[in-house]
Amino acid sequence: MDIAEKFRESGNPMFNDNALKLGVFGTNCSGACAITTAETTFEPTFEHNVKIARQLEDAGWECMVPIARWRGFGGETNFGGTNMDTFTWAAALAAVTEKLQFFSTTHIPTLNPIVATKMATTIDHIAKGRYGLNLVTGWFTPEMEMFGREQLEHDSRYDYADEWMEIVTTLWKRNGVDFDGQYLKVKDAFSEPKPYNKETGRPVLICAGASGKGMHFTAKYCDFNFGFMQDMESGAAWVKRVKELAFSEYGRELGTFTSCPVVVRDTEKEARDYYNYYVHEKGDRVACDNIAEVLQVQSQNHSPEMYEKFRERFIAGWGGYPIVGNPEQVTDALIELHKTGVDGALLTMVDYNEELPFFNERVMPLLKEAGLRK
């Protein structure tokens, strides 16, 4: 039996029957995913996150995914500079909920694999199986340098991550693990208890690997590939490519998730006016440019027009595909998103406190009518 089927039989939220699964992204960080100085009541506190989690759970959403952040990106907002650790965040929220899935995002080079195994398994038991890891190889060089780690060349990061995952996945199965790799070494490693669900043998795993090496890593180890869509056509091509890769190379079923900043209001004009306000009038362009510099997109290989599109998408919501309009238009856009074959979307908002109740009241019923939600 494929592990995806085992997760379905276990009742894991990420493998339920909803045609388009929904979650939120980055609520553990200041600014969440919007790089803006626009007014907001949202704060990255435990109290705010509990309120968000309970609203999501009551409305039937599937998951919350945090961003692992160790320092901000400067600018007026120092975007992401105030943040909660993703492991303790997930443990605390899992303890006060019953249905929602929580992930811990980990920058693999910052955490010993034996420690990661123990922490993840502990939270998996607190959550009674509603837990997973979002695996990141460590792209923000100033953060890696904080830990005294030399930033590896891109493909080498996945070689390191492969060794890390070999240790972790083996420890989830048995004790007495020895490993002598190029980057990592362990001797007679031991970790108890084992993961909560004995049938699946591990928590859910996701990764945003987008390069050839990253997609192979995801297809080998993970249950979902997380990707950012430029448009529906390229999004459908990405979904097709990663699913075929996982099946042909590793004989595995691989799900897909994307991210979308959402602005929904009573009228299209209200929604577009607010989008223009928080992105174009109040966007923190300095912080966004700092991110772009790290990602090396401010280069001669990108036209000014392409860079402006990049900047708008990142200010709007970390590069996700924007969905803006009245409830019917937002529903139609999510229907089109589903047609690409993607399994789910992490939705981002500037002010979850103010915007999430309206989305749950006005959009969720329409998604049920459309057959995307049960």
Side-chain angles (χ1 to χ4, degrees):
M1 183 187 298
D2 185 86
I3 192 165
E5 189 60 36
K6 292 179 180 179
F7 274 119
R8 286 191 193 96
E9 289 193 354
S10 74
N12 185 278
M14 299 295 288
F15 294 84
N16 65 25
D17 292 333
N18 283 327
L20 183 69
K21 296 163 183 62
L22 296 175
V24 296
F25 190 31
T27 60
N28 66 309
C29 293
S30 55
C33 290
I35 313 175
T36 183
T37 62
E39 303 80 3
T40 177
T41 65
F42 168 76
E43 296 176 355
T45 62
F46 178 63
E47 291 75 17
H48 278 223
N49 275 258
V50 169
K51 182 178 179 181
I52 292 166
R54 286 177 172 160
Q55 289 184 72
L56 296 175
E57 195 162 68
D58 288 344
W61 294 53
E62 277 75 26
C63 65
M64 294 179 74
V65 180
I67 294 172
R69 188 87 289 126
W70 299 98
R71 63 190 300 145
F73 291 99
E76 185 175 347
T77 60
N78 191 31
F79 176 62
T82 299
N83 51 74
M84 288 187 285
D85 160 67
T86 67
F87 284 87
T88 47
W89 173 91
L93 289 173
V96 297
T97 55
E98 296 180 352
K99 301 175 183 177
L100 207 59
Q101 171 93 12
F102 298 95
F103 288 87
S104 293
T105 302
T106 179
H107 288 220
I108 285 174
T110 69
L111 191 58
N112 180 282
I114 301 173
V115 176
T117 303
K118 175 70 75 174
M119 291 167 65
T121 306
T122 300
I123 304 170
D124 194 37
H125 278 261
I126 293 170
K128 294 182 171 57
R130 298 175 291 120
Y131 179 67
L133 287 176
N134 176 24
L135 303 167
V136 182
T137 59
W139 61 273
F140 188 18
T141 300
E143 285 185 333
M144 295 302 100
E145 292 174 346
M146 284 175 58
F147 289 84
R149 305 305 298 263
E150 178 184 355
Q151 180 67 288
L152 296 173
E153 179 270 333
H154 177 274
D155 284 2
S156 297
R157 295 176 212 166
Y158 282 101
D159 293 334
Y160 182 102
D162 189 80
E163 293 189 6
W164 193 92
M165 282 302 300
E166 284 290 337
I167 296 168
V168 171
T169 55
T170 305
L171 268 176
W172 278 331
K173 297 174 184 175
R174 62 178 176 84
N175 295 318
V177 176
D178 294 314
F179 189 87
D180 186 7
Q182 179 181 354
Y183 302 101
L184 294 166
K185 302 180 190 302
V186 301
K187 182 179 179 180
D188 193 23
F190 184 97
S191 183
E192 290 287 350
K194 299 306 178 191
Y196 178 80
N197 191 304
K198 292 181 174 59
E199 293 300 316
T200 61
R202 62 165 174 79
V204 179
L205 302 174
I206 62 177
C207 178
S211 65
K213 195 92 168 181
M215 285 188 179
H216 271 277
F217 175 84
T218 306
K220 180 179 179 180
Y221 290 109
C222 298
D223 304 295
F224 293 92
N225 184 221
F226 181 70
F228 293 90
M229 293 188 181
Q230 292 298 313
D231 51 54
M232 298 299 176
E233 183 179 2
S234 63
W238 154 64
V239 169
K240 184 174 185 290
R241 183 167 66 254
V242 296
K243 285 180 177 287
E244 288 180 349
L245 172 66
F247 184 77
S248 64
E249 294 291 327
Y250 302 97
R252 302 185 64 245
E253 179 181 332
L254 182 65
T256 51
F257 252 74
T258 192
S259 178
C260 300
V262 171
V263 179
V264 57
R265 299 290 189 270
D266 274 317
T267 68
E268 179 182 5
K269 183 179 186 305
E270 288 177 282
R272 296 206 173 278
D273 284 350
Y274 182 71
Y275 178 84
N276 288 331
Y277 174 73
Y278 92 83
V279 174
H280 297 292
E281 293 184 36
K282 291 289 188 175
D284 188 344
R285 298 167 74 88
V286 173
C288 185
D289 290 347
N290 289 340
I291 296 172
E293 185 176 348
V294 175
L295 294 173
Q296 298 181 344
V297 301
Q298 292 190 72
S299 69
Q300 294 179 354
N301 295 327
H302 294 81
S303 67
E305 293 79 13
M306 183 182 295
Y307 183 63
E308 280 305 310
K309 183 177 181 180
F310 164 91
R311 178 186 270 157
E312 177 180 326
R313 290 281 182 92
F314 263 73
I315 290 174
W318 254 119
Y321 183 85
I323 295 178
V324 182
N326 62 36
E328 291 75 19
Q329 290 170 318
V330 168
T331 301
D332 289 342
L334 290 171
I335 291 171
E336 291 303 307
L337 190 74
H338 167 65
K339 290 178 181 178
T340 67
V342 75
D343 295 287
L346 301 180
L347 306 186
T348 68
M349 301 172 185
V350 176
D351 195 325
Y352 289 95
N353 298 326
E354 299 296 326
E355 298 178 79
L356 186 56
F358 187 78
F359 185 96
N360 286 339
E361 179 184 350
R362 299 290 299 278
V363 179
M364 289 298 272
L366 297 178
L367 292 175
K368 290 178 182 178
E369 289 179 16
L372 297 189
R373 308 284 304 175
K374 292 187 175 180

